[in-house]
Amino acid sequence: GCVGGMEKYVWELTHHLCEQGVSIEIVCETVTGIPDPRIHIHKIPISRAKPRWKSMLNFRALVGKFLAYELSRRKLIIHSHERSIHHQVTTFHGPPMRGRKVLWGIPWFNRRVCAWEKMESEEVLGPSVQYVLPVSSLVQKSLMDRYPSIDEKHMELAWPGIQSLANEITTGSALNELPDRFVFVGTEWKRKGLKLAVETISEYRADGHPATLVVFGVVERDLPRTIRSLDWV
């Protein structure tokens, strides 16, 4: 369903492929919204494991088990949008992990970081992977810097799926008259970079632009006082 950036991407992509006559099946935990009835949905059990990286590992294992028992004898192109394996194509939606910190020449051990690093490298460098589709040129460059051997895979930009806007909304003098208003969306504000967004817009304001930042999906009391105290946020 259209409940997040990646989910919206999958919704738009699969529905447009379906309109072109492509047979689509989706493996997921939950369905939000009413998809085209021609799209076949396979729901696997929802993982309740905490923290998030353990839930991701469980999801990956359940998907792998489903593919092995239910779809292994069929000729399919498996397109992943998560940290999974067994796929031929993966769309990479965000920047890659930056690697573990090094203290006194020794990599700093953190179970979460190690797990994400392993899942990420298997997603883009796994033996079955043929195409890696980053959603921006910046993400593509970051992947190439992080994983030099990714050159062995095919890489093409895959722009996020959105519905077209009317030209009169995005062009003309009316757009220039709108105030500078930035929007941040994401419950996981630390991972998604809210602090960086605040710092960036703060510098933008310092150059004489009266900009504001609207934040959605975050519990205000969870934010540091340095952000909550800003009257333009």
Side-chain angles (χ1 to χ4, degrees), residues 169-181 210:
I169 296 177
T170 57
T171 60
S173 59
L175 184 63
N176 298 327
E177 297 172 359
L178 294 175
D180 294 330
R181 188 184 189 208

Side-chain angles (χ1 to χ4, degrees), residues 179-193:
D180 294 330
R181 188 184 189 208
F182 295 87
V183 176
F184 179 93
V185 182
T187 302
E188 300 176 19
W189 59 272
K190 289 184 179 180
R191 184 174 67 87
K192 293 180 178 292

Side-chain angles (χ1 to χ4, degrees), residues 5 15 20 38 42 48 89 92 114 119 137 195-196 227:
H15 277 78
Q20 296 180 34
R38 293 173 293 179
H42 305 280
R48 305 294 183 184
V89 183
F92 204 89
C114 290
M119 285 189 287
S137 55
K195 287 186 177 180
L196 177 60
I227 295 179

Side-chain angles (χ1 to χ4, degrees), residues 15-65:
H15 277 78
H16 280 81
L17 288 173
C18 186
E19 291 172 3
Q20 296 180 34
V22 180
S23 176
I24 299 292
E25 301 188 38
I26 296 178
V27 182
C28 59
E29 290 183 336
T30 60
V31 179
T32 302
I34 304 176
D36 189 301
R38 293 173 293 179
I39 296 177
H40 191 184
I41 306 293
H42 305 280
K43 291 198 291 186
I44 62 175
I46 298 175
S47 175
R48 305 294 183 184
K50 299 291 182 179
R52 186 166 179 267
W53 62 268
K54 289 185 177 180
S55 177
M56 288 296 302
L57 282 174
N58 286 350
F59 175 81
R60 188 175 77 163
L62 288 171
V63 170
K65 184 177 180 181

Side-chain angles (χ1 to χ4, degrees), residues 94-105:
M97 293 285 291
R98 297 183 179 180
R100 281 168 282 177
K101 296 179 180 178
V102 177
L103 299 175
W104 302 290

